[in-house]
Amino acid sequence: EQLKMEEELREAMRNQELELRYQPQVDSETGQVVSMEALVRWKHPTRGMVSPQEFIPVAESTGQIIELGEWVMGEVARHCLYWDTLGLNTFRVCVNISPLQFNQRNLPEWVADFLDQSGLPPGRLELELTESAIMNDAETNIAKLRALKALGVDLAVDDFGTGYSSLSYLKRFPIDTLKIDHGFVSDLDTSDGAAIVDAILALAKTLKLRVIAEGIENEYQLAYLVGKGCNLLQGFYFARPLYPEDVPNMLQTNFSKQIHTVIGARLAEENRSC
Ligand code: C2E
Ligand code: MG
Ligand code: MG
């Protein structure tokens, strides 16, 4: 199965079967879409859409993730530069970087060249790194993270809380954003789930990091996270990952009304139960 997928993935990259989608990230205070996460999709000729959860691990184990990751960055630059021509240049794009990509010795040089050659302003880019990739050999990774940060890009820790973070390293790493894993968000209606989210939000506040919750699907989760001061919000509640052509419209959308209505309803509920 893996060999077959490896071969098919090679074909897919040659035949332009890969596509990007963009999922909005909403500022909880202004309701504005301030960033978009780029998510890769594989339009397989016979199987239809194949989930990245299926093919990213294969690409990671075969090393194809390096080429795939470079393709993703190239597409992101191409899309961003097009959106620029429409005057849409105030939002960041977040790109997932797999552990193998992160572990390449020359990643900072590669990103520097990419920024140079594509013309994408570094401030438009946030790299989403996994907790396990940066914590594994943390001492060496500090230098790499600093080199990336010095280029002017933002750095996020994806799926935060699912690996093992050393808090002392977390403080020393030049990180901008913690992403609360959607597993914790979907558990918010349990007391343990809520306690974990509270702890991550408190940690982010103390370390002065931006915090984003992903996988928000309902009003309960939204009200809880906004009530606790979560800065950014992402999930099907706002939008599913969008085709690039639907991004300009989404950037004009403001969610503050929905956010205020949900918060208002929660406050009214709390008052009633008092
Ligand atoms: P991730 O980076 O944690 O991305 C978030 C995943 O959650 C995405 O799945 C997204 O579609 C999904 N999601 C967003 N909102 C909701 C929601 O409200 N409910 C639920 N149930 N899910 C939601 P997707 O697109 O299938 O991607 C899965 C994973 O594949 C990503 O997890 C990321 O680790 C990896 N991936 C995707 N694109 C890339 C890429 O370009 N490069 C690399 N290295 N990895 C990628
Ligand atoms: Mg991600
Ligand atoms: Mg994630």
Side-chain angles (χ1 to χ4, degrees):
E1 277 290 306
Q2 172 141 344
L3 277 173
K4 186 165 169 239
M5 191 174 271
E6 180 181 353
E7 184 46 40
E8 285 187 338
L9 201 49
R10 210 182 320 278
E11 285 283 300
M13 286 195 266
R14 259 201 305 268
N15 298 343
Q16 289 159 9
E17 290 165 19
L18 299 181
E19 295 178 1
L20 287 189
R21 299 287 183 271
Y22 291 90
Q23 192 178 30
Q25 302 181 335
V26 176
D27 184 306
S28 62
E29 278 181 20
T30 64
Q32 232 147 15
V33 176
V34 290
S35 36
M36 295 267 178
E37 179 175 7
L39 295 159
V40 70
R41 297 285 178 268
W42 179 4
K43 214 169 162 186
H44 192 283
T46 53
R47 291 173 58 199
M49 277 298 173
V50 183
S51 158
Q53 264 140 344
E54 237 181 284
F55 67 87
I56 292 286
V58 175
E60 178 82 13
S61 70
T62 59
Q64 290 168 304
I65 193 75
I66 304 294
E67 192 186 338
L68 192 151
E70 292 179 0
W71 176 84
V72 169
M73 292 276 266
E75 277 295 279
V76 162
R78 191 172 71 81
H79 288 142
C80 281
L81 295 173
Y82 170 68
W83 292 326
D84 269 13
T85 66
L86 307 177
L88 303 170
N89 57 4
T90 53
F91 65 99
R92 266 189 313 275
V93 177
C94 309
V95 176
N96 290 285
I97 303 291
S98 84
L100 196 74
Q101 285 174 282
F102 181 72
N103 288 331
Q104 291 175 97
R105 203 184 299 251
N106 64 349
L107 182 71
E109 290 80 10
W110 189 87
V111 175
D113 280 352
F114 161 79
L115 292 169
D116 234 30
Q117 282 169 23
S118 65
L120 185 71
R124 300 288 310 282
L125 187 63
E126 181 161 77
L127 303 180
E128 291 193 4
L129 311 166
T130 68
E131 193 178 23
S132 47
I134 59 171
M135 285 299 164
N136 177 22
D137 197 5
E139 199 59 52
T140 313
N141 289 339
I142 288 185
K144 186 177 273 181
L145 292 168
R146 287 191 181 143
L148 285 169
K149 190 64 206 158
L151 301 174
V153 301
D154 274 6
L155 302 176
V157 185
D158 205 355
D159 306 337
F160 184 74
T162 59
Y164 295 96
S165 265
S166 149
L167 297 186
S168 62
Y169 278 120
L170 205 55
K171 199 173 70 169
R172 290 170 62 200
F173 284 163
I175 287 164
D176 303 280
T177 310
L178 293 185
K179 275 195 101 166
I180 303 179
D181 185 59
H182 57 75
F184 298 133
V185 173
S186 62
D187 278 353
L188 262 178
D189 53 354
T190 67
S191 58
D192 283 356
I196 292 173
V197 168
D198 288 356
I200 298 176
L201 287 167
L203 181 71
K205 197 170 175 192
T206 309
L207 297 178
K208 299 192 173 55
L209 299 175
R210 190 160 59 213
V211 61
I212 171 161
E214 63 181 354
I216 301 173
E217 291 185 350
N218 59 45
E219 295 183 346
Y220 177 81
Q221 294 162 348
L222 175 64
Y224 190 94
L225 290 156
V226 176
K228 296 277 178 163
C230 184
N231 309 107
L232 296 175
L233 313 160
Q234 176 181 358
F236 296 169
Y237 180 82
F238 296 102
R240 291 191 173 249
L242 305 168
Y243 285 90
E245 48 271 36
D246 294 328
V247 165
N249 246 346
M250 178 53 67
L251 290 166
Q252 315 291 341
T253 311
N254 187 290
F255 289 98
S256 61
K257 211 164 150 199
Q258 279 100 315
I259 295 174
H260 283 130
T261 309
V262 170
I263 295 289
R266 185 181 154 114
L267 286 177
E269 177 114 341
E270 278 171 8
N271 283 341
R272 255 200 310 277
S273 55
C274 279

